[in-house]
Amino acid sequence: MATTNQHQLMTMFVSLIFLIHMPSFASSDLRTGFYSNTCPKAESIVRNVMKKALIREPRSVASIMRFQFHDCFVNGCDASMLLDDTPTMLGEKLALSNINSLRSFEVIDEVKEALEKACPGIVSCADIIIMASRDAVALTGGPFWKVRLGRLDSLIANQEDSNNIMPSPRANASALISLFQKYKLSVKDLVALSGSHSIGKARCFSIMFRLYNQSGTGKPDPAIDPGYRKELNKLCPLDVDQNVIGNLDATPVVFDNQYFKDLVGGRGFLNSDQTLFTFPETRKFVKLYSMNQSVFFKAFAEGMLKMGDLQSGKPGEVRRNCRVVNARHSHLLLQTPNREEPYQAII
């Protein structure tokens, strides 16, 4: 009986420790200047690495910018998508929307290495994604905004959740609206954030059905401009290696409102892009952004901030390496961590 009571007390004690170290994930915990005392050069370090990545390979920054979408939509902005597979966990890198699509993880590794040299154990990988995504936009001609920081990194990834949540390139506007509404993101936010496709490229794999069998008709998508369809047929013939890539808009290395002008002209690369113009509820914003780049830039920054506030409510840590969780010790310290000091709750 005594042994049972001791076991129950120990279980309660460990549970108490776990709860004490569970951080609050309300967006009110996030703020600008979060690292101003503990790592004052954090944002400049991130920006310098991103500048080098842009020079080395312009496409890489477009990939990094989309990390925020693929991370935040799957259980909040917690860098779960950066975790590699382990013998006991399937990571999100091989999820349906990520495999052969998300790339340039090594850029995040470079950022983390630089930050660990300057401020060991301070800056989370989740915050790196937020800062790097913002810089990817600003460095390619888009808006700059002050980011809210103070996130923790997840202890697990969930490939199944990623498969179930992230939209397909075949998605229509109605499905996208429903998805965004689940995260309290409006139709305006949806259209503005879709403007992330102002930079970057995508694979033929994502558009073969549009070119040759839209909705099972055996015919191309009638929304595609005929001249543009000829270009796509040449780029992506039926026998193409479907990993061949094409530009998402006419200015793929410049963040601007050309993406929306292309949608108005029936030159959207992905079905999930062109549907924003063919669907009445989203069309008005496509037209607005195609005519006014400043309005688009403002709406995009606001949407990124709202998306960046999505949190999981689960315990976390500041990883030393963004690809793996920190090594665990057999003991836990019974103390409330200071989020402005190196996070030592679970190490």
Side-chain angles (χ1 to χ4, degrees):
M1 184 70 175
T3 302
T4 300
N5 289 339
Q6 288 174 350
H7 177 74
Q8 290 175 337
L9 286 171
M10 181 60 69
T11 301
M12 292 173 62
F13 179 69
V14 172
S15 298
L16 177 62
I17 294 173
F18 187 74
L19 289 170
I20 286 174
H21 293 300
M22 181 179 290
S24 169
F25 280 75
S27 61
S28 59
D29 292 333
L30 306 177
R31 64 180 188 275
T32 59
F34 185 84
Y35 298 109
S36 58
N37 293 325
T38 54
C39 192
K41 295 184 178 180
E43 294 194 44
S44 63
I45 289 172
V46 175
R47 193 169 302 115
N48 286 337
V49 175
M50 290 295 289
K51 285 179 181 177
K52 293 176 183 177
L54 177 62
I55 294 170
R56 187 169 61 236
E57 185 192 6
R59 187 185 170 201
S60 65
V61 297
S63 301
I64 296 298
M65 184 259 291
R66 281 187 271 282
F67 279 14
Q68 180 169 333
F69 291 77
H70 289 251
D71 185 39
C72 294
F73 269 29
V74 182
N75 301 318
C77 310
D78 60 4
S80 60
M81 60 156 288
L82 298 179
L83 289 172
D84 289 338
D85 289 357
T86 72
T88 59
M89 182 196 73
L90 288 176
E92 296 166 22
K93 291 179 179 178
L94 298 183
L96 295 175
S97 63
N98 298 342
I99 188 172
N100 296 324
S101 177
L102 292 188
R103 53 197 299 282
S104 303
F105 292 99
E106 69 281 356
V107 177
I108 299 296
D109 294 336
E110 291 176 33
V111 173
K112 184 60 173 173
E113 183 179 357
L115 286 168
E116 286 298 301
K117 287 181 179 178
C119 324
I122 297 291
V123 182
S124 70
C125 301
D127 279 345
I128 290 174
I129 289 176
I130 297 296
M131 289 184 279
S133 296
R134 184 268 314 274
D135 292 340
V137 173
L139 290 172
T140 52
F144 178 90
W145 60 94
K146 292 183 178 181
V147 290
R148 295 189 281 265
L149 304 172
R151 296 164 189 81
L152 292 173
D153 300 323
S154 69
L155 305 177
I156 59 170
N158 194 314
Q159 188 177 117
E160 183 179 2
D161 283 353
S162 183
N163 287 336
N164 292 335
I165 293 170
M166 294 305 297
S168 160
R170 300 186 180 211
N172 60 32
S174 180
L176 293 171
I177 289 171
S178 296
L179 173 64
F180 274 61
Q181 284 178 339
K182 292 178 181 178
Y183 299 100
K184 298 183 179 180
L185 294 168
S186 67
V187 174
K188 175 185 174 183
D189 295 325
L190 161 63
V191 180
L193 290 171
S194 296
S196 64
H197 288 170
S198 170
I199 55 175
K201 299 174 182 286
R203 296 183 298 149
C204 286
F205 171 82
S206 299
I207 63 167
M208 296 302 287
F209 74 98
R210 287 193 76 203
L211 295 178
Y212 304 107
N213 192 27
Q214 178 78 335
S215 301
T217 62
K219 299 178 180 180
D221 180 357
I224 306 176
D225 171 74
Y228 184 54
R229 188 174 70 241
K230 289 181 180 178
E231 293 177 30
L232 294 180
N233 286 145
K234 184 176 181 180
L235 175 71
C236 306
L238 277 169
D239 60 351
V240 72
D241 173 357
Q242 294 191 24
N243 287 317
V244 169
I245 54 176
N247 298 332
L248 283 169
D249 80 349
T251 56
V253 296
V254 179
F255 194 97
D256 55 18
N257 69 335
Q258 182 63 44
Y259 164 82
F260 296 104
K261 294 177 182 179
D262 287 348
L263 297 188
V264 172
R267 298 175 65 85
F269 191 81
L270 301 176
N271 188 77
S272 55
D273 290 331
Q274 193 60 52
T275 185
L276 298 176
F277 186 69
T278 58
F279 195 74
E281 196 171 348
T282 49
R283 183 187 299 132
K284 62 182 179 181
F285 291 109
V286 172
K287 287 183 175 180
L288 174 62
Y289 299 149
S290 73
M291 294 184 291
N292 193 321
Q293 181 167 277
S294 296
V295 171
F296 161 51
F297 280 6
K298 183 175 184 293
F300 184 84
E302 290 173 350
M304 290 291 275
L305 284 167
K306 288 172 69 175
M307 180 169 53
D309 284 344
L310 297 174
Q311 302 298 304
S312 70
K314 297 178 181 178
E317 64 181 5
V318 174
R319 294 183 209 139
R320 271 77 169 172
N321 178 338
C322 291
R323 294 174 180 264
V324 296
V325 298
N326 296 337
R328 298 286 176 263
H329 293 307
S330 59
H331 65 281
L332 293 170
L333 298 177
L334 185 58
Q335 62 182 41
T336 302
N338 181 345
R339 282 291 287 116
E340 297 188 16
E341 296 297 334
Y343 189 70
Q344 300 293 339
I346 309 175
I347 60 174

